Structures are given as structure tokens and as C-alpha cells.
Amino acid sequence: MRRAYYNNSIKDFLLEDSNKILGQLSLNHSNRSLEDLQKNAWVKQIQILKSELIGVDGIIYFEFTIPRMGKKVDNIIIVNDCVFVVEFKVGDDSYGKHAEIQVIDYCLDLRNFHEGSHLVKLVPVLVATNAQSCSFNIEEVIELNKVAKCNKEGISDVIKKFTPFSKNKIDANLWENSIYKPTPSIIESTQALYKGHKVEEISRNDAGTINLSKTSSYISKVIDNSKLNKKKSICFITGVPGAGKTLAGLTIANERMNADKDEHAVFLSGNGPLVDVLREALTRDTVKNSKEKGESITKESAKRRTSAFIQNIHHFRDEYLKHKIEPTEKVVVFDEAQRAWTKKQVSSFMKRKKGIDDFEMSEPEFLIDVMNRHKDWCTIVCLIGGGQEINTGEAGLEEWINAFQVNFNDWKIHYSNSIVDSSNYIKKESQKKWLLKNAISEKDLHLSVSVRSFRSEKVSDFIYQLLELNIVKTKALFSQIKDDFPIYLTRDIESAKSWLRKVRKGSERTGLIASSGARRLKALGLNVKNEISAPNWFLNSEDDIRSSFFLEDIATEFDIQGLEIDYTCLIWGANFHLNNGVWKYQSFKGSKWMNINQEISKDYLKNTYRVLLTRARQGMVIFIPDGSTLDQTRPKTFYDETYNYLKEIGITEIP
């Protein structure tokens, strides 16, 4: 893949005719609507760089692709052991904050995902051509905490400051052609897919991507066969936490929507915050991109388009509860299908909210029944997270299988082999045997590699062993991940906040998260009952008090399940703590804690902490309060044993 519109040695760049360089840039540029504006910027860049790079030995690139971000860097300049990442603001007389963040993000992307950039010096440079000269601290720039800022006459001086004595030289050819392994967040992935990128372009070029591609390919074949043979089919996709189940589902829905609009493929989720965040992210991105193309689209118009792609499963359910018609959708992807409701939960809801007294189906059975109204073909894709049911009345996979055992005998069932190989998905042996006899097992329907944390793929294993209290295995796994995925402890919330502010760079996102049942954190000014706006928390900038950056509002498991941020502070509550070597499960009622005795409710609570502990992409700090000798609802015994257990694993206090 060609990584840049133009590249050359600086020596040959200086000798080459400027019009020829401009012609090559124009030839590779696809956005015709901005051609004149872009050409003028290039003309100025070429002129400035030809003046500033006289006597400099190195390599230069124009419009270097940063795949994960869907962006191109104005210039990459490689000199000795430094890679200068240069963002031009032609005509600007000041250094904009947004531009500073943008060029730092480019450097972070290269350092994290471009193999050739892991160990080199990356220098973010912002050139505001008409601004005043500006001083900067070299160490802060190399650490990517600050940007080297200069005007059109300062580029040469910046290069000299970072390459005074170095004898080492980067092999530019090796650097350019080294492997790029992007790991976008689910928000970035959704935006890229919606723009038309393929999963191979936006995800890591390794086992994780291969796994995702095979899964998507298998599902597409099932859909095509169902369509050809006029059959109804269902596929159950499983995966480890962070393996990309949601990404796989979005990929399938997007590909089928683009392949044949008559299929009306749709991505459905009962996770309200996920739907709201992804819709809002797509809407904002659509408006922004249309402006960049010189087009005009209102936010409401953009929202209508994106709402057709991602829908709330409960709205889908209510629509077809009200109208006994054949659905428009031929391909539906149900995200977090394990969270669909049991018959008891649905019946109670229908009676309370809809005035229906005789509703006798579980949510899985009803959703299958709706799709079964098709007279010819349809395909359901269920994304199943094992051990992620977190709320009362969530049915798990067993309710889906039960619906097929009782009804719908003409459906073709395709399931991940992990469903029968693991106890995470189905506990009933009778159901496993039924599946083995009546359905098709397929290994490509299990996503086995975590792609959420590009720092370490073993984080999810570590969290699993930690919660299972397998201390030997937990210690061993922690020793393997701690250098790549920092995890720290603290008994002081301000220290936790300070660490988050210090560790983040560019637009990396930080936030406070906690269990919705950790009610007595209120005594510390941390109120989990205070509802947040998920789109504002996940998407708004650092100067917005509603954003996660402000470290005021807390996202609970219901807000953050299915999403992730770069660095988290998990605030550990008294509702789930160690007591004499075993987990103690509690819920707060009125003025005191009540023991949780039902096994299913215990599972929900443990899964809550599993979700919270796997939301960070790059690292986390765990804040465990000190407790109080005066407050009977917050005794030190509710916190100290958990803290000591985490210390025994090897997790240390914030340095």
C-alpha cells in the first residue's frame, strides 16, 4: 500500500521542480471539491520546506497516511534518529489547541500501532506560518506531552535542536514498510466502517484481524446461502472480552447494507448508552465530513441516516409487537444477545408498561418469532458475551437455545464451538447435547483474541483469574502484562485523578467508573446514582464539564458496557469485597447493606466488576477507599482485605 502521496530524499526534493511535486500530489489526491484550497496549501508548504531544509540530510513525505484515524499527516521528515511529524497551518498567526492535540495524536498512533515507530524518537511539530516564534522544552516534546511550535522560518531550527549529535540513522525504507497494526476504539471503528472502510483496513493486521475477517466471511456465506435457498438461519458469535464482537456485528450489518439495500441490514442493541454514543458519534462525524467536502447537511438529517443503521432493540421489539407484519429487515444483528430478557422479566414489563396481561414469550423467543414472519428467508446474528449478564432478568444464551428446542424447527443454527466447550455460555448439559445433534458447530464463530487492549492481549485472562481468586495464575499473568498495561492502586481519589491527568496524551480519554451498586461512595462525593449523558461523557472535549475528562461524573457498568476509554479509574465499592478469602456480595437498602444470597444475583455482581475491570484500553488505577471508623456502612473491613489481595498480586501504589 502506498503510504504517502509523495516521498523522496530531502536532497532530491530540493532539486526537483516544484510544479512536478505539486503534480504528483494532485494526481494522488481524490477529494476534487477542495482541490484549489489544498493546492494552494501544498504550494506554500513546498516553498517553505525547500527554503528550510537546505543542508538537511534525510527523507521527506507529503500526506502520509494514518490508517486508524483516517487522516493524513501533512509531512513526515526523517533525519538521523528522529521522525518529525509536521502539521502545517498555512496563513495562521497562532498555534491552535486543536492542532496541537491533532499532531500529538498522529505521533501516538505511530508509536502505538506502527512497528517501525515503536523505538524511534517521534517529534510532533506544529507550523503556524504567520505566528510568532515560540520556545518549547525538548524533553516534554519527546515525551509527547507538548508540541514543538514554530513559524515558517523556524523548521530548520527545530530539526537542529533534536538532532545535534546523533550518529544513529533510521532506515527510512524499513521504517516506511514496517507493519501497521491499528486497534481502533469501537467508536472509531464504527465511524470508519460507516465511511466505507473495510475491517482489514482499520484493524490490526494479525491474529485479531484474521479472526474478525474469517468470522465476517463465514456469516456472509450463511446469509448468501439462506437467500439463495430461501432458508432461515441464525448464527451465534462468541468471544473473549474485547475480542471485537460488536465490531464484527457492525461490519456484518454495514457490509450487507452496502451489498444489497433490499436486505435492510440493521445493528440492534439493547445497550442504550452504546446506541446513543455510536449514533451521536456517526452524526457528528457525518456533519464534520460533509463540511470538509464543502457540502451542507443538518445534524437532524445526519441523525436520521445513522439511526437506520444502528437501532435500539427495544424499539424494534415494540414496533413489531404493535404491528403483526413481516419485518422490513432481512438481516438483523443482535448485540449482547445474552442480555435479552427472560419470559418472567418480559411478562412483568409488558404488564406494567404495555398493559398486556398474557404475554408468554421470552425476549429471544419473541425476536425469533418476529423474524420468522418472513415467508422466504432471513438471518439473525447473535453476539454473545460469556459471563457478561449484569442485570436482573437477563436470560443468557440458554433462553435462545430453549426457543429453538421448543419451536422453529426449520431454522438452520450455526454456533461457535466454544459454546459447548466452555461453561461460560451454557450450563445445561442437555442443551449442549441438543446443539451437537441439531446445529452446526463452527470455530470461526468464536473470536479468541482480545483487540481492545493493544497493550496486552492477556488483560482479560488476568481479570478472569483475579475475580476467580486464583492467586498463583493471577500473579503470573500480572507479571506478564504490567510493563505494557500499567495498573496501580491508591487509597486517595485525588492521587488517582492526578495520575489520569498525567498519563494521558493528546486526545486519549480518561474517566471515573464504578459499580451502580456502590452506593456508599456518596460519602466521598462520588455519586453513582447521578445519571450521565453517555454521548457527552464519551464524546465531548476536555473543556466540557460533562465529559469524562473532567473526572466528576461516574460511568457505571450500564453506561460503559460495550464501550471503552484509554485510561480508567475504577472506584471499588463495598458491595463487592473480600471477606475471609471469599467474595462478599451486598446491596444497599435504606440505611444498611443487605447480603445477596441468590447465586444468579451474585453472578450479576461479579460480572459487573468484570465489565468495569476490562474497560481500559491502555491502563487503569484502582481506588479503594480507606473506610471509616464512624460510619457503620463503610467500615475498614469492607475495603482493606480487597486492597491487600490486590497488593499481594503485585499491584503497587501510584509511584
Side-chain angles (χ1 to χ4, degrees):
M1 181 183 74
R2 188 178 180 86
R3 290 240 163 109
Y5 285 1
Y6 171 90
N7 67 284
N8 212 336
S9 68
I10 293 174
K11 179 182 176 182
D12 289 341
F13 163 73
L14 294 173
L15 295 172
E16 192 167 1
D17 183 76
S18 294
N19 287 328
K20 189 176 177 182
I21 297 169
L22 182 62
Q24 190 170 332
L25 290 169
S26 299
L27 189 65
N28 289 312
H29 187 55
S30 59
N31 192 347
R32 302 300 171 195
S33 61
L34 289 177
E35 196 165 5
D36 289 342
L37 182 63
Q38 183 63 76
K39 274 187 178 180
N40 292 335
W42 283 333
V43 167
K44 201 69 180 171
Q45 282 174 236
I46 293 166
Q47 179 187 335
I48 292 168
L49 289 168
K50 275 183 174 282
S51 172
E52 286 294 299
L53 297 180
I54 294 171
V56 177
D57 181 25
I59 305 292
I60 187 168
Y61 299 85
F62 278 75
E63 302 295 328
F64 188 90
T65 300
I66 303 287
R68 182 183 72 101
M69 300 174 70
K71 302 285 186 182
K72 295 183 183 296
V73 183
D74 287 340
N75 296 101
I76 297 278
I77 301 171
I78 298 179
V79 179
N80 294 345
D81 63 343
C82 288
V83 175
F84 295 91
V85 180
V86 184
E87 178 69 13
F88 267 91
K89 296 300 176 186
V90 175
D92 284 13
D93 57 7
S94 62
Y95 303 100
K97 180 67 175 176
H98 177 76
E100 289 185 47
I101 292 172
Q102 184 180 28
V103 72
I104 288 175
D105 282 350
Y106 289 153
C107 290
L108 289 169
D109 198 276
L110 287 169
R111 188 180 71 181
N112 292 332
F113 309 119
H114 182 239
E115 205 167 79
S117 299
H118 289 342
L119 302 176
V120 303
K121 278 198 290 188
L122 291 158
V123 183
V125 183
L126 175 59
V127 182
T129 57
N130 297 341
Q132 296 292 317
S133 60
C134 189
S135 62
F136 53 84
N137 181 287
I138 290 175
E139 287 303 315
E140 286 184 327
V141 173
I142 289 175
E143 290 172 4
L144 304 184
N145 290 319
K146 298 288 184 181
V147 173
K149 294 181 280 192
C150 67
N151 56 30
K152 62 184 177 182
E153 296 170 345
I155 299 170
S156 178
D157 288 339
V158 168
I159 291 172
K160 287 174 184 175
K161 283 180 180 177
F162 286 92
T163 59
F165 309 113
S166 176
K167 295 179 181 178
N168 299 322
K169 284 198 173 186
I170 295 168
D171 185 321
N173 188 54
L174 282 177
W175 178 85
E176 179 186 345
N177 292 297
S178 63
I179 296 171
Y180 186 83
K181 300 178 179 179
T183 307
S185 69
I186 192 61
I187 294 170
E188 292 168 329
S189 298
T190 306
Q191 291 170 329
L193 288 169
Y194 196 69
K195 286 177 191 171
H197 293 282
K198 294 187 179 298
V199 70
E200 295 87 350
E201 296 174 314
I202 62 169
S203 193
R204 293 161 41 171
N205 186 22
D206 60 4
T209 310
I210 293 166
N211 205 182
L212 276 167
S213 299
K214 284 184 175 179
T215 302
S216 300
S217 177
Y218 184 87
I219 298 288
S220 279
K221 286 176 184 174
V222 170
I223 295 170
D224 288 337
N225 287 333
S226 299
K227 192 173 183 179
L228 180 65
N229 298 308
K230 299 195 182 324
K231 295 286 185 183
K232 292 162 188 167
S233 57
I234 187 165
C235 299
F236 294 102
I237 299 176
T238 60
V240 300
K245 293 182 292 294
T246 301
L247 175 56
L250 287 164
T251 300
I252 292 156
N254 189 64
E255 285 180 353
R256 301 310 301 193
M257 182 178 69
N258 291 329
D260 185 349
K261 297 198 183 300
D262 289 338
E263 289 180 6
H264 295 283
V266 65
F267 180 89
L268 300 172
S269 177
N271 184 337
L274 176 73
V275 171
D276 292 344
V277 169
L278 294 185
R279 276 182 173 179
E280 180 67 16
L282 288 180
T283 299
R284 293 184 187 185
D285 203 44
T286 300
V287 171
K288 177 172 170 280
N289 291 330
S290 67
K291 282 182 180 177
E292 289 175 355
K293 292 176 182 176
E295 300 169 356
S296 179
I297 183 173
T298 65
K299 187 172 181 181
E300 283 306 310
S301 178
K303 190 176 288 186
R304 281 194 297 273
R305 291 187 199 175
T306 60
S307 295
F309 175 44
I310 299 173
Q311 296 181 29
N312 191 304
I313 196 170
H314 300 308
H315 298 164
F316 176 89
R317 175 200 65 200
D318 292 349
E319 176 69 17
Y320 291 110
L321 179 68
K322 188 169 29 175
H323 304 291
K324 308 293 185 183
I325 58 173
E326 185 176 319
T328 307
E329 300 80 5
K330 289 283 195 178
V331 177
V332 292
V333 179
F334 292 141
D335 189 36
E336 296 181 11
Q338 80 280 358
R339 297 185 66 187
W341 289 347
T342 61
K343 182 165 70 173
K344 181 180 178 183
Q345 186 76 1
V346 179
S347 297
S348 172
F349 173 83
M350 292 297 180
K351 190 172 184 177
R352 285 183 290 109
K353 301 292 187 180
K354 307 291 181 182
I356 301 172
D357 292 325
D358 56 350
F359 196 88
E360 292 297 324
M361 285 191 280
S362 67
E363 194 167 30
E365 186 178 359
F366 177 70
L367 294 170
I368 298 165
D369 186 64
V370 168
M371 294 303 290
N372 198 52
R373 295 174 190 175
H374 281 293
K375 295 179 178 61
D376 48 5
W377 76 278
C378 66
T379 299
I380 297 173
V381 179
C382 288
L383 311 177
I384 305 286
Q388 292 188 40
E389 302 84 3
I390 59 174
N391 206 2
T392 303
E394 291 180 354
L397 177 56
E398 291 177 346
E399 196 65 57
W400 287 89
I401 305 303
N402 184 59
F404 285 105
Q405 283 181 289
V406 177
N407 297 304
F408 316 113
N409 297 323
D410 58 337
W411 282 61
K412 287 279 188 183
I413 303 169
H414 304 257
Y415 67 94
S416 153
N417 62 307
S418 286
I419 286 172
V420 294
D421 295 340
S422 166
S423 61
N424 277 348
Y425 303 101
I426 295 178
K427 292 184 170 65
K428 294 179 181 177
E429 287 300 319
S430 60
Q431 284 198 335
K432 290 183 181 181
K433 289 176 182 176
W434 185 89
L435 276 175
L436 287 167
K437 185 177 179 182
N438 296 281
I440 301 164
S441 174
E442 175 52 53
K443 60 180 176 53
D444 285 341
L445 291 179
H446 179 68
L447 297 167
S448 58
V449 181
S450 174
V451 294
R452 172 179 295 131
S453 170
F454 56 86
R455 294 294 185 197
S456 174
E457 293 164 359
K458 296 179 179 176
V459 173
S460 60
D461 285 344
F462 164 71
I463 298 305
Y464 175 81
Q465 298 298 344
L466 182 153
L467 291 174
E468 293 304 307
L469 303 177
N470 294 329
I471 191 154
V472 175
K473 289 182 179 179
T474 307
K475 278 183 174 181
L477 284 164
F478 182 68
S479 69
Q480 294 174 48
I481 68 171
K482 63 181 181 180
D483 292 335
D484 293 322
F485 189 90
I487 303 175
Y488 289 108
L489 270 175
T490 185
R491 308 301 292 265
D492 177 52
I493 189 62
E494 292 306 320
S495 294
K497 291 180 179 181
S498 177
W499 182 81
L500 289 176
R501 293 186 182 110
K502 182 180 178 182
V503 74
R504 68 169 286 257
K505 303 176 190 299
S507 62
E508 290 175 340
R509 188 165 286 271
T510 58
L512 305 179
I513 61 176
S515 162
S516 60
R519 297 294 174 83
R520 291 305 297 139
L521 293 173
K522 183 180 178 182
L524 304 175
L526 302 165
N527 190 359
V528 295
K529 288 191 73 175
N530 182 36
E531 288 188 16
I532 68 168
S533 162
N536 290 335
W537 197 87
F538 280 98
L539 301 174
N540 288 12
S541 63
E542 61 185 311
D543 57 357
D544 190 318
I545 61 169
R546 299 166 298 175
S547 76
S548 67
F549 289 117
F550 250 73
L551 305 179
E552 288 185 4
D553 290 331
I554 298 169
T556 70
E557 68 275 19
F558 300 115
D559 301 309
I560 203 168
Q561 188 176 32
L563 293 158
E564 71 272 299
I565 58 175
D566 292 290
Y567 295 95
T568 63
C569 169
L570 169 55
I571 305 169
W572 205 289
N575 59 328
F576 182 72
H577 66 272
L578 281 174
N579 180 37
N580 295 322
V582 296
W583 291 117
K584 177 87 170 176
Y585 303 82
Q586 300 187 130
S587 63
F588 197 74
K589 305 288 185 185
S591 62
K592 60 184 178 180
W593 290 102
M594 308 290 287
N595 289 334
I596 295 174
N597 297 314
Q598 283 190 320
E599 289 303 316
I600 187 68
S601 297
K602 289 182 178 180
D603 286 344
Y604 290 148
L605 184 50
K606 183 186 282 189
N607 288 342
T608 289
Y609 277 81
R610 191 190 318 280
V611 166
L612 294 170
L613 285 161
T614 54
R615 293 307 98 187
R617 284 165 54 81
Q618 299 199 56
M620 67 177 155
V621 56
I622 300 171
F623 164 56
I624 299 183
D626 279 320
S628 170
T629 56
L630 302 175
D631 184 347
Q632 63 180 0
T633 67
R634 298 185 298 118
K636 291 177 68 64
T637 53
F638 281 4
Y639 305 97
D640 287 353
E641 189 174 341
T642 306
Y643 172 80
N644 291 332
Y645 168 58
L646 296 177
K647 281 200 77 172
E648 187 180 356
I649 287 166
I651 303 175
T652 59
E653 291 268 3
I654 294 172

